[in-house]
Amino acid sequence: MMAYERLRVGLAGLGTVGGGVCRLLEQNAQVLAMRSGKEIVITAVCARDRDKQRGFDLGDARWYDDPVALASADEVDVVVEVMGGSGDPAKALIEAALEHRKPVVTANKALLAVHGLSLARLEERYQTPICAEAAVAGGIPVLKALREGLAANRLDALHGILNGTCNYILTEMQETGRGFEDILREAQQLGYAEADPSFDVDGIDAAHKLALLSAMAFGTEVCFSEVYVEGIRKVSAVDIAYAAELGYRIKLLGIAKRHQDGRIEQRVHPCMVPKHAPIAKVDGVFNGVVVHGDFVDKIVMEGRGAGAGPTASAVVADLIDIARGNTSPLFGVRATLLSAFRGVPLAQRVGMYYVRLMVVDRPGVIADVSAILRDEQVSLEALLQRGRAPGEAVPVVFTTHETNEAAMQRALQSIAKLDAVLEPPQMLRIETLT
Ligand code: NAP
Ligand code: HSE
């Protein structure tokens, strides 16, 4: 390889993502040097266990027991944080790197969702970039798209499948009928899941990512605490089958919209989406993000949302940007220009709903359910009862026309109290998606 100036990387974290970064830097060294104008080399590393067999080559990189020490190491120009965790040592490392005027690349959406604003302020104060492409949607360059390719547009809405693990589980449940726990274990083995997989299945990881996308798209301060979050644990094979029969797929979506009064709606929950919508066809570990801009109209992006390769692709793309000197503020505008976040409560959602009840098969049950819906002004779209088992439990499924979340919740509380209703009602929001 011809002689290039070196960009010396301090890599904190040698797990799934850190390993992927090491492999990519080695395998594509030549093309990276040509594209970035620099030889990107790992000169310092840190993880918890120095003796762990990692299965990739760390070359002559110097070992550090303390991640924060990477920030001041003489042989480090850029710090890559792929340890994870929403507090220290990841936060302390990034703060120390900025203080030492060393650019940072991180894949840590949990940290950025919680401390993104304070870190963006430090980025501005020290005039030193934090790049985080890998934090959202794995290998899809969605942050770059929002920050650069779509920068000319006013963005008012986006939605997406933002968690590869959940999409993998839902797809496998639909296609193979295998159980939830079994598929989750497989996703962990494949390197898709978070260190604590409840972050995936309870929707928290998708909410972290949605908060980041929303801040970047709408120019507001990142506000993770104002994301409504529901995970996929309650999605059953029965509902997946009913959804298919009704012409829908079930997906865990992150949805963010800017209302006309400037308030922002942010929610993550399982949704029924029409089977012909682009997002309905995003399967397995793939993520999909759909963005609406006032001049560009609709953009659909799809790619692998988790795993060593796609995430390393995003981390190293950030390193190339740093090598080229082509960086932008973390949220696309200077931290001091981000506007205050004002949220929209979920109770104000207007949309259609799917409800499944387990009821005793006897005369008058549907009449009682209908009366409650009538009293809450909820209009039925379709009602389905399969089979006949007098005196025994049968599923009853209905969908509604557009109605208000608060009314729907009140109706479900009343329905749950009926003697003939044997289990808490299962409710899924239907998103028609433009
Ligand atoms: P991982 O496989 O669990 O690896 C974490 C690495 O960080 C390990 O090498 C671990 O050391 C090291 N580490 C953890 N705590 C540490 C501490 N206190 N001090 C020093 N080292 C520490 O995690 P991962 O999947 O690579 O994820 C890393 C980050 O990338 C997370 O923020 C995650 O959310 C994000 N991310 C992951 C993916 C993905 O598909 N996996 C995709 C996008 C973003 P040991 O190996 O010695 O235990
Ligand atoms: N656990 C995350 C997922 C990794 O499954 O999407 C990618 O951020």
Side-chain angles (χ1 to χ4, degrees), residues 210-342:
L210 185 74
L212 296 175
L213 282 179
S214 166
M216 195 168 281
F218 309 135
T220 55
E221 294 175 351
V222 59
C223 195
F224 168 64
S225 60
E226 291 267 350
V227 184
Y228 171 81
V229 192
E230 250 180 58
I232 62 164
R233 286 186 203 268
K234 69 172 192 177
V235 176
S236 70
V238 179
D239 297 308
I240 290 174
Y242 274 117
E245 189 175 338
L246 293 164
Y248 295 97
R249 297 287 306 267
I250 298 180
K251 295 288 180 190
L252 182 75
L253 290 194
I255 297 170
K257 290 179 193 167
R258 179 178 22 207
H259 289 219
Q260 289 205 326
D261 60 5
R263 292 180 311 149
I264 309 286
E265 179 180 340
Q266 302 184 132
R267 49 195 168 90
V268 169
H269 52 75
C271 300
M272 289 192 12
V273 295
K275 67 179 179 196
H276 297 301
I279 211 81
K281 296 171 196 151
V282 176
D283 282 332
V285 72
F286 281 71
N287 282 188
V289 183
V290 179
V291 182
H292 293 265
D294 55 355
F295 275 70
V296 75
D297 196 7
K298 182 164 87 173
I299 293 276
V300 183
M301 291 168 265
E302 182 181 349
R304 286 182 184 273
T311 314
S313 160
V315 167
V316 176
D318 279 346
L319 285 172
I320 295 173
D321 271 349
I322 289 167
R324 287 171 171 164
N326 172 33
T327 56
S328 317
L330 178 58
F331 292 108
V333 297
R334 290 167 45 187
T336 39
L337 295 179
L338 293 166
S339 48
F341 182 93
R342 291 183 300 124

Side-chain angles (χ1 to χ4, degrees), residues 109 134-135 137-138 162-166 192-194 200 205 209 287 305-307 311:
K109 55 270 179 167
L162 300 175
N163 185 271
T165 303
C166 286
Y192 300 159
E194 295 303 302
D200 297 290
D205 176 74
K209 294 165 180 167
N287 282 188
T311 314

Side-chain angles (χ1 to χ4, degrees), residues 7 22 76 141 144 157 165 243 271 363 402:
L7 182 73
C22 291
V76 168
K144 207 174 186 49
T165 303
C271 300
E402 283 212 330

Side-chain angles (χ1 to χ4, degrees), residues 12-19 46-50 52 54 63-67 81-85 88-90 106-111 134-138 190-195 205 209 305-308 311:
L14 298 172
T16 302
V17 180
C46 171
R48 279 177 299 216
D49 181 356
R50 187 172 186 163
K52 201 186 262 186
R54 309 232 171 232
W63 177 272
Y64 285 80
D65 285 322
D66 173 14
E81 184 282 302
V82 285
M83 293 181 291
D88 291 340
T106 179
N108 192 338
K109 55 270 179 167
L111 175 69
V136 182
L190 290 165
Y192 300 159
E194 295 303 302
D205 176 74
K209 294 165 180 167
T311 314

Side-chain angles (χ1 to χ4, degrees), residues 82-98:
V82 285
M83 293 181 291
S86 60
D88 291 340
K91 177 167 171 278
L93 168 59
I94 293 176
E95 288 168 348
L98 297 176

Side-chain angles (χ1 to χ4, degrees), residues 1-6 30 33-34 37-39:
M1 186 156 61
M2 68 175 266
Y4 288 95
E5 190 187 332
R6 297 205 313 164
Q30 186 118 27
M34 277 163 49
K38 296 211 172 138
E39 185 190 354

